[in-house]
């Protein structure tokens, strides 16, 4: 036979006993927080958070600021097509339609050994840049130079012709 258990009355239930804390005569000191130095030149703006003496690893939290959206721009070129004899050079002025600061402007030739591009600094002017494009070899052909900012880019086509006879 099976024995059926009866539920006990709610007032007769035993509650688990909770031990009462005892006063300890010696108080253990709380470890003080220490700040680990942040490595200089870290790519993300990182901050070291306090660590306890029991944990030797630094706590690093990356800067969570949202990146600002870059407003698109239109890069302007004084000429989008240039022709020059091999071994010669030409100047090109680069800017933007809204005359923004050109800090960070890059220029890359699709064939740097044949056609080189370099910026010529002009003191006091930030919204325009002067670039010199030079044919480095006797090789003729059509080359491209890309001018880029984070907000946009433009391309110039350079035709290198045989030198005049």
């Amino acid at each position: 036979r099976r024995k059926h258990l009866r539920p006990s009355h709610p007032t007769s239930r035993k509650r688990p006993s909770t031990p009462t804390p005892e006063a300890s005569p010696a108080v253990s000191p709380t470890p003080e927080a220490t700040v680990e130095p942040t490595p200089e030149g870290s790519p993300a703006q990182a901050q070291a958070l306090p660590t306890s003496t029991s944990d030797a690893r630094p706590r690093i939290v990356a800067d969570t600021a949202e990146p600002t959206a870059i407003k698109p721009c239109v890069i302007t070129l004084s000429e989008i097509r240039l022709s020059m004899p091999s071994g010669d050079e030409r100047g090109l002025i680069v800017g933007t339609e809204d005359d923004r600061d050109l800090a960070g402007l890059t220029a890359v030739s699709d064939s740097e050994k044949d056609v080189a591009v370099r910026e010529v600094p002009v003191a006091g002017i930030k919204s325009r840049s002067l670039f010199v494009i030079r044919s480095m070899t006797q090789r003729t052909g059509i080359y491209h130079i890309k001018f880029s900012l984070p907000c946009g880019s433009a391309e110039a086509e350079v035709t290198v012709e045989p030198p005049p006879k």
Side-chain angles (χ1 to χ4, degrees):
R1 269 190 173 181
R2 250 180 150 177
K3 197 175 189 182
H4 291 285
L5 298 175
R6 291 173 112 165
S8 61
H9 193 272
T11 56
S12 65
R13 285 189 190 155
K14 283 189 174 182
R15 293 187 174 198
S17 63
T18 308
T20 56
E22 295 179 18
S24 61
V27 177
S28 62
T30 305
E32 290 187 27
T34 58
V35 177
E36 297 289 325
T38 304
E40 290 187 30
S42 61
Q45 294 289 344
Q47 296 177 348
L49 296 179
T51 60
S52 70
T53 55
S54 65
D55 188 4
R57 297 180 305 158
R59 302 290 181 194
I60 298 177
V61 177
D63 187 8
T64 57
E66 291 184 25
T68 37
I70 297 172
K71 181 182 172 191
C73 66
V74 176
I75 294 180
T76 59
L77 305 174
S78 58
E79 297 180 63
I80 56 171
R81 287 186 187 89
L82 301 162
S83 292
M84 71 176 88
S86 60
D88 208 353
E89 60 185 26
R90 296 284 186 267
L92 186 69
I93 298 172
V94 181
T96 61
E97 281 186 348
D98 58 357
D99 291 332
R100 66 176 68 191
D101 189 346
L102 297 180
L105 178 66
T106 61
V108 178
S109 171
D110 65 353
S111 180
E112 292 179 1
K113 66 180 182 161
D114 295 316
V115 176
V117 59
R118 66 179 168 86
E119 186 173 10
V120 177
V122 179
I125 299 177
K126 293 183 178 183
S127 63
R128 297 281 183 265
S129 287
L130 173 62
F131 285 85
V132 174
I133 300 165
R134 181 178 176 85
S135 169
M136 302 298 288
T137 64
Q138 296 300 311
R139 184 176 286 165
T140 61
I142 297 174
Y143 302 94
H144 296 92
I145 298 174
K146 186 172 183 175
F147 297 91
S148 301
L149 280 170
C151 62
S153 64
E155 196 169 281
E157 182 180 281
V158 179
T159 303
V160 178
E161 302 167 338
K165 294 181 180 182

